[in-house]
Structures are given as structure tokens and as C-alpha cells.
Amino acid sequence: MSDNNIKYVRILLPLALPKMYLYAVPDEFASKIKFGIRVEVPLRRKFYSGLVVEILDDSHTPDYATKNIISVIDERPIIDEIHLDFWKWIARYYSCTLGEVMGIAIPSGLKLSSETKVSIIDDTDIDEFELSDDEYLIYEALGVQKELNLKDIQDILDKKTVYPVINSLLKHNILDIREELISNYKPKKVKYLRLKDDFDSEENLPNALELTQRSKHQTNALLAYTQLSKTQTEVSKSALMELAGISSSVVKAIVDKGIFEEYEKNISRLVPRVGEKKAMPPLSEFQEESIANIDEILKDKNHVLLHGITGSGKTRIYKEYIKRAIDKGGQVLFLVPEIGLTTQLVDRLAKIFGDDVYVFHSKLSQNDRVEIWEEVLKGKKIILAARSGIFLPFRNLKLIIVDEEHDSSYKQQNPAPRYNARDAAVYIGATREVKVILGSATPSLESYYNASLGKYGYVKLNKRFGNVSLPDIKIVDMRSKNILVPNHSKYSLPLITEIQNSLNSGEQVLLFQNRRGYSPTINCNKCGWFNQCDNCDVSMTYHKYTNEIRCHYCGTRDNVPTVCPRCGSSGLVFLGYGTEKIEDELKKFFPEVSVKRLDMDTGSTRNNIEKIIDEFDRGKIDILVGTQMITKGLDFENIGLVGIIDVDRLMQFPDFRAVERAFQLVLQVGGRAGRRKKQGKVVIQTYQPKHPMIKDVLDNDYHTFVERELEERQQFRYPPFIRIIEITIKHKKPNVCHEGSQVLALELKAGLRKRVIGPSVPGVAKIRGFYQYRIMIKIEKSGIDINKVKDFIVKCKNNTLQKKGLKTLRINIDVDSY
Ligand code: ADP
Ligand code: ZN
Ligand code: ZN
């Protein structure tokens, strides 16, 4: 299409709109229009940056009045067709709109939307006495400051609702209102200094020094400048100030004298790490064997499941494939479940691949994320990322590694799209020339099943690196008489003995408890009251260190009750064990040793986590107590013992996957023991020592476990033999929620019949003030058009939302909701 034939563009906006609109392209912009660039468009009195996803000539005449695009934002595309195709697949598969996919796919820094600004109309005649107090305040403020945004106005009036005041000022013709696109992305700027032309040479420098001779500081600044410019092509203001020991006012004085000139430059925030690169260590015999097997599989398949027991050195194998991919000029996406816990991995990759590696995750600042997006477009080679990395705009992707592929953090719960990054990676491998390695010591049932069907290749690495044996596992039967340490303890005597033994031989200990805080419940032993959260249907957890009770669902905090709020009795009992209490008790048993805790409270930031992991690594911590956070991929040399305080709790969740999850967790945590030198120990405390899962753990028998689970899943119709789509209906009013769920279920059943189960009240009936109902839909894997089913579900949802009184329901569709 020639430029002058470009008449319309279809624009994708990051909003949950049912369709994409066409906009007209004014001639002046026609030559700049390309697929995948952002343009500014109006929608419902606001402006947005939208993506050009289709370009049309004048043979298309839309049947509605199109609006014009307002400006062109990018010169170069920020996505290509393949990325849009991937977004479309996500929207289709996970039953959401393309706009919602865009909403999470691109960093917010690339999503602009408009901000309302008001200013005073010049030359208006106003009688100040006609204005109300609020109106006058704004009028007055605008005399000082030319423009105000809504936030400013809210602050000035100290209230949230400001539209009435603005409206009345608009009516009086005092205010002017305009919308302006704002970007959150701010490139990082660095200030530099250079000598102005007159002084910029060695023979002219004395002239400059003469001008500054009366100020010692200024003279120092000039000397520092000369020194710095010997080794650096550009002299940054901050470096100069530091070397000369001067403040910015001194620099300003020199600038004012016309000697220095200041200028700014955008720089990358993701400064490459320094340090020397190292060669990879040679492969072990077993690793070589695995690689030969993987090579064989990848000849005609794009997917391989690498089932390597803990400590077998899967990372070394990943590195091999990363190296091969980048040597051929390809890009690599390395997915990990939780990036906060990957400091060890980042270090290890950086040692080998240097600044070819970037790390991408949701805790990065918006600016950093924009920068990585751009780097990936330009061809950055290796990206280590949490699940959202799957949306990065790789143009030459050759390999995706999904480490710990069984991990549930690959699934996004909220907001839509509720995608699973592992499955999305599998899709990419199936539709493009991208190899996908799924790795785990405890593969998910899905992946194992897919491998057994031959969909994926399967490689087992059954030996630990260095031939260290798997840990020796000991089960403690908590029902036995006198097994507990006296006085309300969660510790059995055998566990205490083993901890002592490990400490005696100079080894470290990990203790796992899947619950944070001190006690999960406070109970009145007189009237039965318990400390339920006002917003949620759960009890609030007592946190001893911050001395408060806190709801883990909505974050509400409150003071710790000293007497029962209902009956006034002082007989309050603190029930249950969180990591804080486990840590506390431990300190009583072993007052001499250093005990630390790693959970969401102590490891809320990447820095905190890094610090604890580093201290543990250097042997500064003897015993580390933690939640799942200690299970994931950490590799320490000196762990002699891993203790699992309460394995039963893990199996109790009302979820068909609970036992699978428990099994994986236990093997993963246990796998942290004895990784390098000698065999480690694992102690598991349980009230159900005869549970078949416990037996499989004891025998380290993944296959028996999986085969039995699969049999049960087949019998009771659960994944991977069927698909599950789960629908959650939420509302603040319980009756509206109930009615909505009935209406929706009825409509669903009319089409899907017995596949629809529910509605039922989930385990936690209320979260953040919203009551919930759940409908589960089980769909067979063959003989039915799954896309039609999904369309039907979306239709039922929309019909329900159109019914009188049900418009404010929230209905979430979650495909493969596990
Ligand atoms: P996992 O399979 O549990 O992810 P890791 O990749 O963490 O195992 O490897 C376990 C340990 O063995 C690590 O400390 C790693 O550095 C070491 N290791 C693995 N392969 C090699 C190798 N080929 N040469 C030297 N050390 C290795
Ligand atoms: Zn009471
Ligand atoms: Zn709550």
C-alpha cells in the first residue's frame, strides 16, 4: 500500500473492550504509519496510546464515523506480527479480550493515557464574590500555578469529589480544560560538563584558571576536570563534584562565568555487571549423557522434559543450551518461578555470560522495564525472567527454558489474562522454531503425562552431581507417646536430636513451615470467639515481632486483643504455629546458635532476601526457618538437615492438587540437604505416617507416586484427563452474589449440562469484602470444540451481567484454573 492510500488504522487499546476500532489517518501522518507503532487516539473524551494492528486503504469504509488519530508516537514498531499473534492466542485460550492481554504484556511505561488539566481562561472578567469558597481556592491557586491536574485540585480542596466544583467553574467560563497524554517513562538522565569553546584547549586553560583564581573551590573544579578528562571521554557533573570535593553551587558559578557548559544525556540504568567471565565447568558423565539424549530428541521435537533430581545439575545443562543458542545468534528466555529467589542463579549466569544477561520481573521500576523491552527488540541475548517475561518482544527467539516447570507461580491468578507461562511457552514451541526445555526434579502431572504420550521428549537425570546420595529420610510419627518436646511444642524429640547432631558436626539446618506469622488464630476459650477479619472469611494472624494481628488476604492490621472483644474474658488462646513461633521456640532450645527466618515478612524485598541468602551461604546463620521461599532452587553447600515441621497441613488443602503439591514441596525442600559433600538428612513430622504419599517420599519414588495420582485423576475426572474452567462470581452483597451465581449456572447448564458443577461457596467465602461463589466446568479433551465452549461461557457471562440488578457482579473466567 502506498502512503497516500493509507486511510484507516485498526487500533488496539490496553482496555477490556469487546472490539477494536478504526481510526482515520490524516494525510500528514500517512507516511509514518507502520504495524506495531503507537499512536495517540481519542476515546470517550480521553486520549490513549494505542497500537496500530491493521492498516487499511480507502476501499474500506467503516459504517461508523471514525475519529482521527492525533499523533504518531513511535518511529519504530514496539511489537511485530508474531507478538500480536501470540497475544491473540492468549486472549482466545484464556477467554479474555485482546486489550486485557496488551494491558499486561507491555510495560506501563509504554502505555500512556491522558491526564486532565485545568487552567484559567485568559482575560476573563470575574466577580470574585460570586465564587464559592472552593471555587475561589482553585481560582486563586491557578493565579500562582498555570495548570492543575485533578490530584492537585483534590489536595487543594482536601476532598476526593472535585468534579462539581470544576463543572461550575467551567460553566462560569473561568476554566479551560484539556487532556494531555502523559508518559510514566522517564529516561535516566546524567548531567555532564564540558569547557566552552573559548577555553577548550590546553593553551587556553590558563585563561580559565585566571578567571577562577580567587576561588579555591573553582580552581579545584577546573583541575579535577583536567584530570578526569584524561581518562574519560565525557566528564559527569557528579564525578567532578566528588573528585574536587565541591558542591553544585560551585559548578554553577563556573557555568555562570561562561567557562563550563552543562549538558544532559540519557543513559541505561541496566548497567552491565562488571567482573570477569568464567568458562563453564566440564560436564559430568551423566550430564553428557543427558545432553546427548536431549540432542537426539530435539532433532524432531521442540519440547523436552528434563526430569533431573535435586542437585543433579540441571542448571549446567541449561547453560550448555543457552550457549549454543546465542552462539548461533539467537535469543534465549530463561523462565524461573520467582525472581526474588534467583540471586544465586543470576550470579552464576552472569559469571559465564556477562552482560549478555538481563533480569526482568515485575518488581523492576517501570523505567527499567521499558528499557528491557527496548533491549529485547534490539536483540539482547539472554533474559532471565519471571512469568511476565513470556510477553517480551523477542525477534529471534531460539530457546525457552522453564525451570521448576511444576511451580504454581507460573500461573497468573489476577487480573486477566489468567495465563500459565509454562503452557504459553509450550505453545510458542509448538508454533515457532523455538526449542523448549521444561526442567524439574518433580515434574507436574501434566508434563509427565504429556511426555508419556510422546508430546514431549523425556530425559531423566537420576544422579546428583558429584555422586552425592539423595538425603536419608526419617519419618516422625507425631501420634507416638511422649514424642513432643514438653509444653506446647511443635517440635518432636527426634527432630531436636537431629538438629543438635547437625550443629555438632558444623552443618547448617533448614526448617520448613508453610505458614508465616506467629499464630494463625486467636480463640476465646470461654465463648468461642475467634479473630476473624472484617473483610475476609479468615482469621487474622498474630505477628509477634510487629505486635499486631494481620489478615493475610486483605492486609488489614489491628492491635492484638488482650481480652475477648465479645465476652470480656481474658482466656484468649493463641492457636497454631507460624514461622515466627517456630523460630521463637527454636531460640529457646538452642540459645547459642544463630537462627534467622526467611518468609514474606523478612524477605519482602529482593535486597532482604539477598542478604539472608548471602548470610546463610557464608555460614553466618546456623538455622534458617522459612516458608516455600526456602524451597525454590536454592543451592547451599553445607546443609546437613532439613526439617519439615507439619507435612499434614500441606495435604489438607481442599484442592485436587493438594497431594501433588505436597509431594513436590517435600522433595524440593528435602533436596536442599547434603548437596555437595556428604549425604544429608530430612526429618518429616506427620500424624499420618501411613499416607501413601509419605511412603513414596521415603522411597524417593516419583514414578509410583505419579502413576497412582494419575489413576485417581482419571477415575474422578480431573486434569490432565479433562480441562477445568473455573468461574468466580463476586459481589459485596451476599444475596446479589448468590442470585448471580444461580442465574449464571442455570444458563451454563442449559448448554453444557452435567459438565457444570456448582455454584458452591469456596473455602474462603469472603475476601476483601467480596462474597464469592464458584462454578466449576469440567470439559472432556476430545470430541468437543473447546473454542465453542469458551465462547458459550463468555456469552453466558455477558448475559448474566446484563440482567437487572446483576450489572455490578464481577465474574472471572479462569481457564486451566490450577
Ligand atoms: P539442580 O538440578 O538441583 O538445579 P544445580 O544445577 O543447582 O542442581 O547443581 C547442583 C550443584 O552441583 C551446584 O552447586 C552446581 O554448581 C554443581 N554442579 C552441577 N554440575 C556441575 C559441573 N558440571 N561442574 C561443576 N559443578 C557442577
Ligand atoms: Zn469470649
Ligand atoms: Zn482480610
Side-chain angles (χ1 to χ4, degrees):
M1 204 182 313
S2 74
D3 291 350
N4 52 19
N5 221 353
I6 293 179
K7 292 296 180 224
Y8 300 105
V9 282
R10 197 176 303 281
I11 297 298
L12 175 60
L13 297 170
L15 305 169
L17 301 171
K19 60 178 275 194
M20 289 184 274
Y21 294 99
L22 288 182
Y23 286 85
V25 179
D27 289 343
E28 52 176 315
F29 296 137
S31 65
K32 295 177 177 164
I33 294 296
K34 283 181 212 132
F35 176 92
I37 60 165
R38 289 173 303 158
V39 295
E40 185 183 352
V41 295
L43 177 81
R44 298 190 198 124
R45 297 171 60 206
K46 280 200 150 211
F47 298 121
Y48 292 92
S49 62
L51 275 176
V52 174
V53 295
E54 200 183 345
I55 302 171
L56 300 168
D57 58 25
D58 53 10
S59 63
H60 297 79
T61 337
D63 52 7
Y64 52 91
T66 53
K67 292 183 181 159
N68 282 348
I69 65 170
I70 294 168
S71 69
V72 171
I73 299 173
D74 297 308
E75 273 174 39
R76 286 183 300 265
I78 66 161
I79 64 161
D80 299 338
E81 304 255 7
I82 45 164
H83 307 119
L84 183 68
D85 288 345
F86 175 61
W87 295 6
K88 283 181 178 161
W89 175 78
I90 293 271
R92 168 88 261 185
Y93 190 90
Y94 292 104
S95 289
C96 65
T97 64
L98 197 54
E100 284 172 305
V101 181
M102 175 180 174
I104 67 145
I106 70 171
S108 322
L110 291 173
K111 286 178 280 184
L112 319 176
S113 70
S114 59
E115 185 179 65
T116 310
K117 293 212 163 156
V118 299
S119 55
I120 282 196
I121 295 180
D122 292 334
D123 312 322
T124 37
D125 256 342
I126 10 174
D127 183 354
E128 288 174 12
F129 297 103
E130 270 182 18
L131 299 177
S132 73
D133 288 351
D134 280 354
E135 289 168 357
Y136 185 73
L137 279 174
I138 295 173
Y139 171 71
E140 196 184 42
L142 280 169
V144 184
Q145 208 176 324
K146 270 192 98 93
E147 280 188 331
L148 297 173
N149 63 26
L150 289 186
K151 174 89 185 30
D152 298 332
I153 297 177
Q154 285 171 340
D155 288 347
I156 292 168
L157 301 182
D158 195 21
K159 54 169 104 162
K160 278 254 162 340
T161 332
V162 294
Y163 275 107
V165 187
I166 295 178
N167 268 336
S168 121
L169 287 168
L170 285 170
K171 268 199 214 123
H172 283 86
N173 256 333
I174 296 170
L175 281 196
D176 201 9
I177 192 161
R178 80 190 172 87
E179 295 280 327
E180 179 182 279
L181 262 200
I182 51 159
S183 162
N184 299 321
Y185 175 64
K186 294 195 181 62
K188 182 164 181 183
K189 296 208 158 104
V190 168
K191 291 194 170 119
Y192 291 92
L193 295 167
R194 60 184 162 223
L195 288 169
K196 286 193 97 169
D197 289 348
D198 294 351
F199 303 98
D200 189 15
S201 69
E202 241 163 71
E203 60 267 32
N204 288 339
L205 191 66
N207 299 343
L209 284 168
E210 204 179 301
L211 284 171
T212 58
Q213 63 177 345
R214 286 203 299 170
S215 158
K216 197 165 157 238
H217 285 317
Q218 292 182 17
T219 310
N220 283 347
L222 280 180
L223 295 175
Y225 180 87
T226 346
Q227 189 178 332
L228 286 170
S229 52
K230 277 185 191 136
T231 52
Q232 289 160 20
T233 46
E234 292 178 288
V235 176
S236 80
K237 186 175 169 182
S238 59
L240 179 111
M241 282 162 48
E242 197 184 317
L243 183 64
I246 54 166
S247 69
S248 62
S249 62
V250 179
V251 175
K252 186 169 177 300
I254 310 178
V255 171
D256 289 345
K257 285 188 177 159
I259 301 173
F260 275 161
E261 182 173 41
E262 213 178 280
Y263 63 101
E264 276 186 340
K265 266 190 155 181
N266 294 350
I267 60 140
S268 169
R269 293 156 211 277
L270 304 154
V271 195
R273 287 168 289 265
V274 279
E276 246 175 80
K277 285 202 210 174
K278 283 199 183 133
M280 290 193 261
L283 294 159
S284 74
E285 184 193 334
F286 299 104
Q287 288 167 339
E288 295 235 22
E289 218 172 274
S290 301
I291 286 179
N293 289 338
I294 296 173
D295 284 344
E296 197 52 38
I297 289 165
L298 292 183
K299 278 185 191 154
D300 53 24
K301 280 193 166 75
N302 275 0
H303 303 92
V304 62
L305 175 61
L306 173 60
H307 180 186
I309 58 170
T310 53
S312 57
K314 292 184 286 297
T315 318
R316 177 63 186 86
I317 294 176
Y318 301 151
K319 286 180 198 159
E320 188 69 23
Y321 285 95
I322 295 174
K323 179 148 186 350
R324 292 191 197 171
I326 65 171
D327 283 350
K328 282 192 242 147
Q331 293 176 296
V332 176
L333 173 63
F334 191 143
L335 289 175
V336 290
E338 264 167 61
I339 209 89
L341 304 168
T342 54
T343 52
Q344 286 185 323
L345 185 59
V346 176
D347 287 350
R348 283 172 194 183
L349 289 178
K351 270 196 194 121
I352 289 163
F353 301 108
D355 52 19
D356 286 336
V357 192
Y358 270 179
V359 181
F360 180 79
H361 55 87
S362 56
K363 286 206 176 118
L364 285 178
S365 74
Q366 277 314 324
N367 292 320
D368 289 350
R369 299 221 275 164
V370 171
E371 213 157 298
I372 292 190
W373 187 274
E374 285 167 357
E375 288 294 325
V376 171
L377 280 172
K378 282 190 233 155
K380 187 78 193 176
K381 291 177 192 155
I382 307 165
I383 304 290
L384 179 67
R387 63 167 181 259
S388 56
I390 198 78
F391 291 106
L392 287 171
F394 294 96
R395 289 183 153 144
N396 193 20
L397 188 61
K398 288 284 173 270
L399 172 67
I400 306 179
I401 293 163
V402 186
D403 192 21
E404 313 287 0
E405 67 83 29
H406 64 278
D407 200 290
S408 58
S409 344
Y410 283 122
K411 175 84 163 102
Q412 164 140 325
Q413 304 295 342
N414 270 313
R418 300 181 174 82
Y419 68 102
N420 183 315
R422 177 206 52 209
D423 297 344
V426 168
Y427 167 80
I428 291 175
T431 51
R432 286 194 235 160
E433 253 324 296
V434 176
K435 304 291 182 190
V436 180
I437 301 179
L438 307 174
S440 175
T442 50
S444 64
L445 259 61
E446 281 67 30
S447 297
Y448 178 84
Y449 183 63
N450 280 331
S452 71
L453 296 178
K455 287 191 188 165
Y456 310 158
Y458 176 79
V459 172
K460 177 128 192 197
L461 182 51
N462 228 346
K463 282 272 187 302
R464 285 188 143 187
F465 179 75
N467 271 331
V468 185
S469 316
L470 280 169
D472 168 32
I473 300 171
K474 188 168 182 169
I475 306 292
V476 176
D477 183 351
M478 300 288 272
R479 299 167 309 179
S480 320
K481 246 194 177 159
N482 299 330
I483 193 128
L484 284 177
V485 177
N487 293 331
H488 303 293
S489 172
K490 194 76 177 171
Y491 285 92
S492 65
L493 291 164
L495 178 55
I496 293 291
T497 310
E498 290 297 348
I499 295 176
Q500 188 65 65
N501 290 344
S502 287
L503 295 173
N504 289 348
S505 39
E507 293 164 342
Q508 291 167 298
V509 177
L510 269 188
L511 292 176
F512 172 72
Q513 169 70 336
N514 195 25
R515 193 153 224 195
R516 66 196 166 95
Y518 195 86
S519 328
T521 313
I522 304 175
N523 215 181
C524 171
N525 61 11
K526 212 163 164 203
C527 76
W529 171 89
F530 79 99
N531 58 328
Q532 188 178 344
C533 171
D534 289 339
N535 307 316
C536 312
D537 183 27
V538 293
S539 63
M540 293 172 78
T541 300
Y542 168 49
H543 284 252
K544 188 173 173 187
Y545 291 89
T546 45
N547 193 28
E548 62 187 355
I549 51 173
R550 210 187 295 163
C551 172
H552 288 180
Y553 280 79
C554 71
T556 301
R557 290 147 188 254
D558 210 339
N559 295 331
V560 185
T562 46
V563 296
C564 171
R566 194 197 284 161
C567 73
S569 145
S570 54
L572 291 180
V573 274
F574 290 68
L575 298 171
Y577 285 78
T579 43
E580 281 186 3
K581 192 164 182 187
I582 297 295
E583 181 193 8
D584 244 29
E585 285 197 345
L586 199 62
K587 284 179 174 159
K588 279 180 211 143
F589 303 142
F590 301 102
E592 308 287 298
V593 308
S594 148
V595 178
K596 281 268 167 72
R597 179 162 50 92
L598 179 58
D599 55 23
M600 283 205 330
D601 299 317
T602 62
S604 55
T605 66
R606 209 178 141 81
N607 270 347
N608 291 345
I609 298 171
E610 232 161 84
K611 198 164 158 260
I612 296 172
I613 290 178
D614 182 58
E615 277 176 24
F616 194 71
D617 213 10
R618 287 185 297 125
K620 296 260 182 268
I621 298 171
D622 299 307
I623 307 177
L624 186 62
V625 177
T627 54
Q628 274 104 310
M629 287 180 95
I630 61 171
T631 65
K632 295 193 181 170
L634 296 180
D635 178 42
F636 301 108
E637 292 209 14
N638 192 33
I639 300 180
L641 173 71
V642 169
I644 297 172
I645 306 282
D646 184 359
V647 73
D648 305 323
R649 213 185 104 71
L650 298 173
M651 300 191 269
Q652 277 161 7
F653 289 101
D655 173 353
F656 71 90
R657 215 168 267 280
V659 177
E660 179 190 356
R661 291 263 153 77
F663 180 76
Q664 288 163 344
L665 257 171
V666 172
L667 285 196
Q668 293 281 349
V669 205
R672 307 301 120 205
R675 284 163 76 84
R676 217 64 68 77
K677 291 173 206 137
K678 60 178 219 188
Q679 192 188 22
K681 271 204 172 151
V682 178
V683 171
I684 302 174
Q685 302 190 141
T686 178
Y687 285 87
Q688 327 169 54
K690 293 276 174 320
H691 195 290
M693 184 208 93
I694 300 285
K695 184 169 182 306
D696 296 333
V697 168
L698 256 179
D699 302 343
N700 186 36
D701 192 347
Y702 174 85
H703 292 276
T704 304
F705 174 78
V706 168
E707 295 297 340
R708 191 185 53 248
E709 272 295 304
L710 282 174
E711 216 165 276
E712 280 185 21
R713 299 266 179 99
Q714 184 154 33
Q715 190 183 347
F716 296 105
R717 299 186 17 101
Y718 278 109
F721 299 95
I722 53 136
R723 293 171 204 282
I724 291 184
I725 299 180
E726 200 168 62
I727 303 180
T728 309
I729 301 105
K730 300 186 207 169
H731 200 275
K732 289 212 162 167
K733 294 189 183 139
N735 55 333
V736 176
C737 193
H738 178 259
E739 194 199 330
S741 66
Q742 293 296 333
V743 169
L744 178 57
L746 205 67
E747 193 161 342
L748 286 167
K749 280 176 185 167
L752 295 169
R753 307 189 178 275
K754 285 207 308 230
R755 297 180 187 87
V756 182
I757 298 157
S760 61
V761 178
V764 180
K766 187 172 86 165
I767 297 178
R768 291 175 186 272
F770 281 86
Y771 289 86
Q772 319 213 20
Y773 276 90
R774 207 156 274 169
I775 297 172
M776 180 158 54
I777 304 173
K778 286 182 164 182
I779 305 153
E780 57 273 31
K781 275 202 163 164
S782 56
I784 191 166
D785 182 345
I786 184 73
N787 283 336
K788 274 198 184 144
V789 172
K790 288 175 183 170
D791 289 342
F792 175 73
I793 294 172
V794 172
K795 198 180 98 200
C796 294
K797 165 182 165 172
N798 292 336
N799 287 346
T800 306
L801 288 173
Q802 265 152 34
K803 297 247 156 71
K804 202 165 162 269
L806 301 180
K807 291 193 170 48
T808 49
L809 278 178
R810 297 191 186 174
I811 302 179
N812 293 344
I813 300 174
D814 190 347
V815 176
D816 297 346
S817 57
Y818 38 76

